[in-house]
Amino acid sequence: MRALTLLIPFALMTLASTANAEILPEAEVGIKIPMVKKPTTRPFTVAHIPGFKRYYIADGGLAPMGSETEAPYSKSQIHAYDEDGKYVNSSRPGYDNRSIYYNTNTHQLETVTYNISSDLGFAPNSGIFSIHLTESGDLKDSSDEISQFNPAFGDSATIPSYDAEHKRYYAKQAHGNNVFIVDPNSREKIGVITLELDKAGAAHDDVSDSFIAYTAVKGEEFALLDVDHKTVLMFDITGKFVGKSALPKALKLRANNHYTGLGYANQMLFVFHEPEGEFGTYYGFKIQK
């Protein structure tokens, strides 16, 4: 039987188990964003702000060790593109970005860094931060701290997805099928969702290691990339497998797709296609009607 360990009442979320959308058997390309700059480190997640009609793509990479003359300041950048996939500008706020998203509660572009959990020990610039934008939505180098490290996120490499309705995060854990439920106001996880990977016909080393997308679609809340089978696996809020959406057969996924180059924004799952273009191309796939 599928394991589901909960540490607090989960009533609001189980009410969301009635499907009101349909999974597309074959994913449809909604947008292609060719990278016009070489990623400063590795391309990670994607955010979208409707009011600015902008997509934001974050690179992730560790900061230098630092010295007497240089602070441990990550060289990773964030890049803005418009809704036609055209490049706008880039910024270097100084974070090893893992998850970037638009928070509709705070109306801010926010980033969650590597080692948010302090699993590997505390490091500067670890936590959750808001990225400053101009009035037109262009990126600035400046930012504000929202919170520091929080052990509730578990694995150091997790790429959490944000649930704006319930103001919580879903943090997939590496080398398995567990997703931690994190309330940012708590220092301990408030629940664990165990995904039915076996019923989806997948093993933990077939799928994205640290990222699961939260779709906010009732009954189909989670989307997980099965790299080895070029398929998007869909689960409900309890972890029950509910269907799949096939990616184009011509898409050439690589080992890095297990760890980087993913995202969910504007109702699309984003997958980085490294072989396409000079610096790779992000595909936004529609997986639900």
Side-chain angles (χ1 to χ4, degrees), residues 79-99:
H79 314 280
Y81 291 79
D82 69 17
E83 289 192 331
D84 294 321
K86 296 180 180 178
Y87 175 74
V88 177
N89 80 317
S90 300
S91 70
R92 184 190 173 190
Y95 304 116
D96 181 359
N97 307 290
R98 282 303 184 265
S99 180

Side-chain angles (χ1 to χ4, degrees), residues 35-44 57-64 73-79 81 87 90-98 272 279:
M35 302 292 96
V36 302
K37 295 181 66 176
K38 183 179 180 180
T40 41
T41 41
R42 292 296 306 171
F44 270 83
I57 298 174
D59 294 343
L62 291 173
Y73 186 76
S74 176
K75 65 180 181 179
S76 295
Q77 294 185 353
I78 300 174
H79 314 280
Y81 291 79
Y87 175 74
S90 300
S91 70
R92 184 190 173 190
Y95 304 116
D96 181 359
N97 307 290
R98 282 303 184 265
F272 186 61
F279 304 118

